[in-house]
């Protein structure tokens, strides 16, 4: 067995784990990232597209903002369509200047991998059977298997950044955590197509046929989603069926100018709200999807992961630079306060914009009225805008 020694052992080479290792490295704090999959596999997952300002600031602080600032698009507003009627939410005007950045998670991850490589960072791919050990001692360690051998990583702290299905959260004794969960009775079918986006800004569409979202990755790459029943399969959805359904949920003028083409990716994601409390067990700290997930309607998943990393990074600097452990001790509480607000916003956006099978008529009326009120009231639109651009860290 080979053993390496580091300060922070990070499980998961998604955006959370990579961003933390890059930030720590710039402050001279050594880490090792263990990722179960190959780099190509991680980069083939199409996920988030909308980044809050807090996230983009953190990318710049990590020295990986250059391509993002060059190729990403700043968006000043989003459109909400209510059964064919478009309403623009002027994010910038309503928040006193805040905007969001459209830049894909794939690109964020690629930039982080490149930066880690350029600095000689230790990111170990295809690490099988990663296991954390001795979490409640001062000498926790990780083991993993690669190329038929078992390896060991000794560290001061372990960060579980291994997503919702990872091993970190599952290695905490069940009586030490509490999990809160809501599963929605539908999923999102998403496609990526090499077509010009139908609109300069994102369109969140509520319609009697179900929710739809028009998003983008660049001016030649579009990302579209439609709400589908939970038991639908990707095979049920030909490209033609997808485009027809999307058009039927959009305002007529938008549908008329929608450019269609072959999909280059098509997948279905179930919608879930989930939070694990606390986000710490001994010297294991959970971050990102390992600790919480949201339905994608508010574009908050990756952004919530980034806010965890922000708190954890600052707590670790205080610990290593000044021997001050107070940030680590309050990490879970501080991070969760913001996590729950992102949960609330995502749940609310989801509740307001989707069709719920078996919703009683009264609930249906309340939902319609909720949206009507929010679109009609300046105070309400400010609330929506300040949450969408992201609450301060
Ligand atoms: P990730 O990205 O899941 O990365 C975890 C990594 O850990 C690895 N792993 C393991 N490694 C070693 N050992 C194990 N036992 C392991 N188990 C897992 C995995 O292979 C993986 O590489 O978690 P992270 O880094 O916390 O990042 C979270 C984000 O990926 C997630 O929150 C967002 O993608 C959510 N999300 C969105 N977030 C936004 O902020 N804005 C959006 O517009 C947005 N759109 C979306 C989304 C998520 C979606 N899906 C499919 C879930 C749209 C969709 C459709
Ligand atoms: C995306 O572009 O994938 C996307 C954008 C906004 C969301 C969810 C997903 O709310």
């Amino acid at each position: 067995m080979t053993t390496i020694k580091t300060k922070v052992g990070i499980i998961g080479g998604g955006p959370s784990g990579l961003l933390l290792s890059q930030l720590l490295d710039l402050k001279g704090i050594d880490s090792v990232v263990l990722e179960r999959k190959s780099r190509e596999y991680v980069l083939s997952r199409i996920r988030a597209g909308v980044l809050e300002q807090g996230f983009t600031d953190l990318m710049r602080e990590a020295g990986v903002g250059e391509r993002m600032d060059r190729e990403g698009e700043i968006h000043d507003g989003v459109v909400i369509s209510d059964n064919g009627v478009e309403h623009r939410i002027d994010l910038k005007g309503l928040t006193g200047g805040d905007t969001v950045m459209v830049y894909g998670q794939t690109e964020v991850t690629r930039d982080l991998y490149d930066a880690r490589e350029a600095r000689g960072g230790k990111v170990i791919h295809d690490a099988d059977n990663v296991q954390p050990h001795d979490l409640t001692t001062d000498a926790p360690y990780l083991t993993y298997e690669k190329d038929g051998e078992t390896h060991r990583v000794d560290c001061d702290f372990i960060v579980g950044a291994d997503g919702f299905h990872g091993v970190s959260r599952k290695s905490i004794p069940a009586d030490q955590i509490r999990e809160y969960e809501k599963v929605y009775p539908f999923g999102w079918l998403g496609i990526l197509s090499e077509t010009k986006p139908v609109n300069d800004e994102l369109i969140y569409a509520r319609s009697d046929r179900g929710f739809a979202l028009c998003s983008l990755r660049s001016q030649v790459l579009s990302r579209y989603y439609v709400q589908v029943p939970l038991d639908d399969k990707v095979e049920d959805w030909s490209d033609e069926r997808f485009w027809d359904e999307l058009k039927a949920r959009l305002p007529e003028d938008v549908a008329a100018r929608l450019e269609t083409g072959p999909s280059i990716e098509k997948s279905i994601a179930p919608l879930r709200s989930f939070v694990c409390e606390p986000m710490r067990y001994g010297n294991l700290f959970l971050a990102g999807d390992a600790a919480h997930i949201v339905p994608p309607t508010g574009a908050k998943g990756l952004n919530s992961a980034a806010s965890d990393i922000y708190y954890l990074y600052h707590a670790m600097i205080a610990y290593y630079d000044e021997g001050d452990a107070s940030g680590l001790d309050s990490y879970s509480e501080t991070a969760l306060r913001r996590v729950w607000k992102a949960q609330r916003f995502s749940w609310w956006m989801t509740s307001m914009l989707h069709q719920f099978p078996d919703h009683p008529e009264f609930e249906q009326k309340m939902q319609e009225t909720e949206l009507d009120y929010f679109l009609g009231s300046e105070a309400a639109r400010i609330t929506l805008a300040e949450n969408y651009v992201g609450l301060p860290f």
Side-chain angles (χ1 to χ4, degrees), residues 109-344:
T109 311
R110 193 189 308 280
D111 294 345
L112 285 165
Y113 275 142
D114 289 348
R116 296 313 297 128
E117 206 166 276
R119 293 184 59 87
K122 287 181 238 75
V123 180
I124 297 163
H125 283 279
D126 305 302
D128 278 332
N129 192 24
V130 175
Q131 294 291 336
H133 305 270
D134 290 1
L135 295 173
T136 54
T137 72
D138 287 342
Y141 65 98
L142 294 163
T143 52
Y144 67 97
E145 287 157 24
K146 184 163 170 149
D147 303 328
E149 271 183 64
T150 302
H151 305 265
R152 172 173 166 146
V153 182
D154 287 345
C155 41
D156 301 332
F157 303 109
I158 293 175
V159 174
D162 48 353
F164 183 62
H165 299 286
V167 66
S168 314
R169 192 182 65 252
K170 291 180 194 129
S171 60
I172 304 176
D175 62 355
Q176 298 295 310
I177 46 174
R178 176 133 186 221
E179 297 181 338
Y180 300 83
E181 182 172 46
K182 179 178 172 67
V183 176
Y184 299 83
F186 40 74
W188 277 18
L189 166 66
I191 71 157
L192 200 60
S193 78
E194 287 167 328
T195 50
K196 185 173 162 50
V198 70
N199 201 48
D200 288 343
E201 296 179 338
L202 273 72
I203 303 177
Y204 289 81
R206 180 185 178 279
S207 95
D208 291 342
R209 299 180 66 95
F211 173 76
L213 171 61
C214 304
S215 183
L216 62 152
R217 290 293 175 273
S218 72
Q219 284 308 309
V220 290
L221 195 55
S222 299
R223 180 76 168 151
Y224 297 108
Y225 298 95
V226 293
Q227 172 189 351
V228 294
L230 260 188
D231 43 15
D232 273 22
K233 303 273 173 286
V234 170
E235 303 76 67
D236 301 334
W237 287 86
S238 65
D239 286 356
E240 197 188 357
R241 180 175 175 210
F242 180 90
W243 292 119
D244 286 347
E245 188 57 41
L246 178 63
K247 283 182 190 169
R249 297 180 186 192
L250 297 176
E252 271 174 32
D253 60 317
V254 177
R257 65 169 193 266
L258 179 74
E259 193 181 302
T260 63
S263 63
I264 56 170
E265 196 266 355
K266 193 188 282 170
S267 52
I268 295 182
L271 266 62
R272 188 196 303 264
S273 300
F274 174 89
V275 181
C276 163
E277 284 191 351
M279 289 167 58
R280 175 184 190 176
Y281 173 66
N283 279 319
L284 167 70
F285 295 83
L286 300 179
D289 278 18
H292 44 76
I293 51 176
V294 287
T297 326
K300 287 286 164 263
L302 180 58
N303 291 304
S304 295
S307 81
D308 294 351
I309 297 306
Y310 174 87
Y311 296 123
L312 201 47
Y313 159 59
H314 285 281
M316 286 186 168
I317 295 174
Y319 176 81
Y320 282 110
D321 284 0
E322 294 147 38
D324 173 5
S326 61
L328 290 172
D329 291 338
S330 59
Y331 164 70
S332 175
E333 196 188 328
T334 311
L336 280 166
R337 203 173 305 134
R338 193 173 187 280
V339 160
W340 275 113
K341 289 185 183 130
Q343 287 284 336
R344 188 202 67 82

Side-chain angles (χ1 to χ4, degrees), residues 11-17 34-37 42 45-50 105 127 130 161-163 165-167 223 225 269 287-289 296 299-303 305:
I11 311 178
S16 299
L34 300 180
E35 165 59 48
R36 184 169 57 178
K37 301 285 189 185
V42 174
R45 292 189 295 226
I46 308 297
R47 289 185 169 179
V50 176
Q105 178 168 338
V130 175
D162 48 353
H165 299 286
V167 66
R223 180 76 168 151
Y225 298 95
D289 278 18
K300 287 286 164 263
L302 180 58
N303 291 304

